[in-house]
């Protein structure tokens, strides 16, 4: 299966935001414009992460999805603050193809099974945020790496699959933003042992990092900083993949 | 040339993506929920994401099963997408046994997770099982990448219903089917980039 190159956009509706060292978050403007750009540049998928994930105002992310779906004709995944069947129904109907759940799944794991049965497992991705605690142990976190769960990340990922999620989206919180590469130790442990598609995120700084992840057998890589900072284009990444024997859609 | 395309709404997934794609191409998309008006459509699209049993229940509840049978018998071309394609067949074993629209002989079965990751998610190259001339793929270059996301596969009873396949290792998966004026795409043309839009455009335009 060709490696999926996924553009990840952090959303603080109505803006795309990016973390800037010492500054916090910088607003970049309308996320759907960026999504369109990445679509035309050959991205295989767009992933919107709602980093505010408000309990009350869900309409702005729905508006964004609705608008994006009018001009972007590749798969669209949405994560952040998805708590209920209604949230999922609304997002899918607005044009999202899959939703990514973390906190809601940790709080009540059966939610994964129920939503996979209701909507189809291919619509339900479980996001696992990892922070390495020791040589052999990674803990799963929620809320962009701020809240401990006490769960072993590897075991939790396996459980999520058993409960019926169609895909795993693993973010390495400690690698994210460093540009030093993905958390290959965790990926090497998990990748051979998952029967569902696996997407990894956090740490890509150079196309060689994507090649590394591909060689470890992941199905997709999500890139944020690398694209938003324009250090690299999707074409650069795909070219590097092709030159090194990793099949991509081109 | 602008076609009048009726997109069947029966409450299950990805309706707006299909409508958006049709409109982007300059055709008229009408969402049909309360009964399908016979005179209005040049083309019919049956989208769908979700479970076969739920989909069939919702189609029957709205009387769309009967109407689709009548319209296609009159010669209106129909394109089923993803679950929409699967429901064209006679049955599925998803969550128990369910009967489909029976517009194409054959049945739907779970993909084997001993041979591949399930759900089958990602981009695959389309290969012809027969000549694509006269079908919605007639303008599509062989080997075009399209996007798949599904756990079940349609197996037509007759080999001549198979239009296209994709490969997972050495295993072939049904990607597109045809039976007269009835067509099916397991992949999502509305999510397969510019090439996917071109496929939808051909469906809207071809004679």
């Amino acid at each position: 299966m060709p490696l999926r190159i996924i553009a990840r956009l952090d959303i603080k509706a109505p803006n795309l935001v990016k973390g800037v060292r010492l500054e916090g978050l910088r607003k970049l403007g309308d996320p759907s414009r960026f999504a369109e750009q990445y679509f035309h540049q050959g991205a295989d998928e767009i992933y919107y992460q709602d980093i505010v994930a408000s309990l009350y105002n869900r309409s702005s992310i729905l508006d964004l999805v609705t608008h994006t779906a009018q001009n972007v004709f590749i798969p669209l995944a949405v994560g952040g603050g998805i708590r209920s069947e209604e949230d999922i129904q609304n997002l899918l109907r607005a044009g999202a193809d899959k939703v990514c759940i973390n906190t809601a799944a940790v709080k009540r794991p059966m939610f994964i099974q129920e939503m996979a049965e209701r909507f189809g497992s291919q619509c339900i991705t479980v996001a696992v945020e990892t922070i390495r605690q020791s040589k052999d142990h990674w803990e799963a976190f929620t809320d962009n790496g701020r809240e401990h769960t006490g769960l072993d990340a590897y075991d939790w990922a396996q459980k999520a699959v058993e409960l019926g999620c169609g895909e795993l989206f693993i973010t390495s919180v400690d690698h994210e933003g460093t540009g030093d590469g993905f958390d290959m130790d965790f990926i090497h442990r998990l990748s051979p042992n998952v029967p569902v598609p696996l997407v990894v995120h956090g740490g890509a700084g150079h196309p060689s990092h994507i090649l590394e992840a591909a060689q470890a057998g992941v199905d997709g890589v999500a890139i944020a900083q690398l694209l938003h900072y324009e250090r690299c284009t999707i074409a650069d990444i795909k070219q590097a993949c092709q030159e090194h024997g990793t099949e991509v859609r081109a | 040339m602008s076609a009048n395309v009726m997109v069947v709404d029966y409450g299950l997934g990805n309706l707006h993506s299909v409508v958006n794609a049709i409109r982007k191409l300059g055709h008229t998309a009408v969402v049909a929920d309360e009964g399908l008006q016979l005179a209005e459509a040049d083309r019919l699209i049956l989208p769908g994401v979700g479970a076969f049993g739920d989909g069939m229940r919702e189609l029957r509840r709205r009387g769309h099963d009967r109407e689709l049978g009548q319209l296609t018998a009159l010669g209106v071309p129909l394109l089923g997408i993803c679950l929409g394609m699967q429901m064209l067949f006679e049955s599925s074993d998803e969550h128990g046994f369910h009967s489909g629209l029976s517009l194409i002989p054959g049945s739907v079965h779970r993909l084997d997770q001993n041979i591949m990751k399930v759900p089958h998610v990602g981009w695959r190259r389309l290969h012809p099982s027969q000549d694509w001339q006269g079908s919605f793929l007639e303008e599509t270059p062989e080997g075009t990448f399209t996007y798949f996301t599904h756990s079940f596969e349609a197996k037509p009873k007759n080999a001549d219903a198979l239009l296209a396949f994709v490969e997972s290792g050495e295993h072939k998966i049904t990607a597109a089917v045809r039976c007269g004026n009835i067509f099916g795409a397991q992949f999502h043309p509305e999510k397969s980039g510019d090439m996917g839009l071109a496929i939808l455009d051909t469906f809207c335009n071809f004679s």
Side-chain angles (χ1 to χ4, degrees):
Chain A
M1 181 77 96
L3 183 73
R4 277 182 276 149
I5 309 298
I6 300 166
R8 175 174 157 138
L9 291 81
D10 285 345
I11 312 293
K12 193 174 176 180
N15 288 295
L16 167 66
V17 291
K18 70 182 184 195
V20 180
R21 208 187 318 174
L22 304 180
E23 271 185 51
L25 290 174
R26 188 184 291 167
K27 292 185 206 174
L28 283 177
D30 179 6
S32 67
R33 274 195 308 110
F34 286 85
E36 243 181 282
Q37 192 183 301
Y38 296 140
F39 160 49
H40 288 300
Q41 286 174 1
D44 299 312
E45 196 166 307
I46 302 292
Y47 176 60
Y48 282 156
Q49 177 70 15
D50 177 354
I51 64 168
V52 175
S54 157
L55 197 57
Y56 302 107
N57 184 17
R58 302 299 294 160
S59 62
S60 45
I61 192 87
L62 281 175
D63 287 344
L64 175 60
V65 169
T66 302
H67 186 63
T68 302
Q70 284 165 2
N71 298 297
V72 175
F73 298 97
I74 51 175
L76 176 61
V78 182
I82 295 163
R83 297 173 178 85
S84 68
E85 180 179 334
E86 195 189 343
D87 285 340
I88 299 174
Q89 167 84 320
N90 288 337
L91 283 164
L92 295 179
R93 203 163 164 86
D97 297 281
K98 56 184 112 165
V99 297
C100 218
I101 56 179
N102 186 1
T103 305
V106 166
K107 282 198 172 134
R108 199 171 72 82
M110 278 304 290
F111 184 63
I112 302 171
Q113 185 170 308
E114 289 161 12
M115 295 303 101
E117 276 171 17
R118 169 78 175 81
F119 297 103
S121 66
Q122 72 277 2
C123 295
I124 308 296
T125 299
V126 168
V128 182
E129 293 169 5
T130 67
I131 297 180
R132 191 174 198 165
Q133 308 290 51
S134 71
K135 183 172 163 289
D136 291 312
H137 174 58
W138 283 255
E139 186 179 344
F141 281 74
T142 60
D143 199 13
N144 294 312
R146 283 192 283 267
E147 297 289 324
H148 287 267
T149 63
L151 297 170
D152 178 280
Y154 179 92
D155 292 342
W156 168 235
Q158 295 290 0
K159 184 166 182 190
V161 171
E162 276 166 43
L163 286 166
C165 75
E167 191 164 65
L168 282 173
F169 188 100
I170 310 293
T171 296
S172 168
V173 178
D174 37 356
H175 282 241
E176 193 178 7
T178 64
D180 291 336
F182 294 110
D183 186 340
M184 291 310 302
D185 286 345
F186 189 75
I187 293 171
H188 281 303
R189 274 161 204 249
L190 188 64
S191 180
N193 299 305
V194 262
V196 301
L198 174 65
V199 176
V200 297
H201 165 243
H206 186 268
S208 61
H209 297 145
I210 287 132
L211 291 172
E212 252 188 316
Q215 276 146 25
V218 308
D219 299 281
V221 294
I223 315 288
Q225 308 266 23
L226 205 52
L227 294 177
H228 308 328
Y229 283 121
E230 289 170 9
R231 261 189 245 125
C232 192
T233 64
I234 291 162
D236 294 333
I237 294 169
K238 289 199 168 185
Q239 193 181 331
C241 286
Q242 285 175 310
E243 281 166 7
H244 292 90
T246 292
E247 198 194 1
V248 287
R249 171 183 80 113
Chain B
M1 206 204 83
S2 172
N4 280 318
V5 182
M6 192 160 282
V7 184
V8 184
D9 181 6
Y10 56 104
L12 267 72
N14 90 330
L15 175 80
H16 289 127
S17 301
V18 174
V19 169
N20 289 336
I22 302 289
R23 288 179 180 159
K24 189 79 174 176
L25 291 164
H27 302 290
T28 305
V30 175
V31 175
D33 180 20
E34 305 296 323
L36 306 173
Q37 303 303 309
L38 275 102
E40 283 168 23
D42 296 321
R43 300 283 188 271
L44 291 164
I45 294 184
L46 183 65
V49 173
F52 193 99
D54 293 341
M56 285 311 304
R57 186 192 64 232
E58 290 304 313
L59 280 181
R60 287 186 176 120
R61 199 162 69 75
R62 292 165 166 81
H64 289 328
D65 55 331
R66 245 185 325 101
E67 287 154 351
L68 286 169
Q70 285 165 2
L71 284 165
T72 52
L74 288 173
V76 182
L78 165 66
L79 174 66
I81 297 174
C82 197
L83 175 66
M85 168 176 127
Q86 292 172 1
M87 291 193 298
L88 299 174
F89 288 84
E90 293 168 304
S91 67
S92 169
D93 58 21
E94 180 174 5
H95 300 144
F97 181 87
H98 299 280
S99 62
L101 294 167
S102 299
L103 293 171
I104 305 181
S107 55
V108 176
H109 305 281
R110 188 154 232 275
L111 289 167
D112 185 351
Q113 72 178 56
N114 295 312
I115 0 182
M116 56 192 288
K117 284 193 173 186
V118 181
H120 178 231
V121 180
W123 297 80
R124 294 276 194 198
R125 291 187 183 277
L126 286 179
H127 300 292
S129 308
Q130 61 172 284
D131 195 329
W132 287 345
Q133 195 58 38
S135 79
F136 71 108
L137 294 176
E138 68 180 15
E139 305 281 332
T140 307
E142 220 180 288
T144 293
F145 276 107
T146 51
Y147 179 75
F148 290 78
T149 180
H150 61 118
S151 303
F152 285 78
E153 179 190 11
K155 297 275 204 196
K157 209 168 263 179
N158 305 318
D160 61 8
L162 258 173
L163 195 54
F165 68 93
V166 295
E167 288 167 326
S168 172
E170 290 176 16
H171 186 72
K172 288 183 175 155
I173 302 168
T174 304
V177 294
R178 80 169 302 172
C179 189
N181 52 317
I182 297 168
F183 300 90
Q186 180 61 70
F187 57 92
H188 287 270
E190 77 285 6
K191 295 285 174 172
S192 295
D194 289 327
M195 300 308 291
L197 290 178
I199 289 172
L200 275 175
D201 203 26
T202 305
F203 174 69
C204 293
N205 286 329
F206 84 110
S207 44

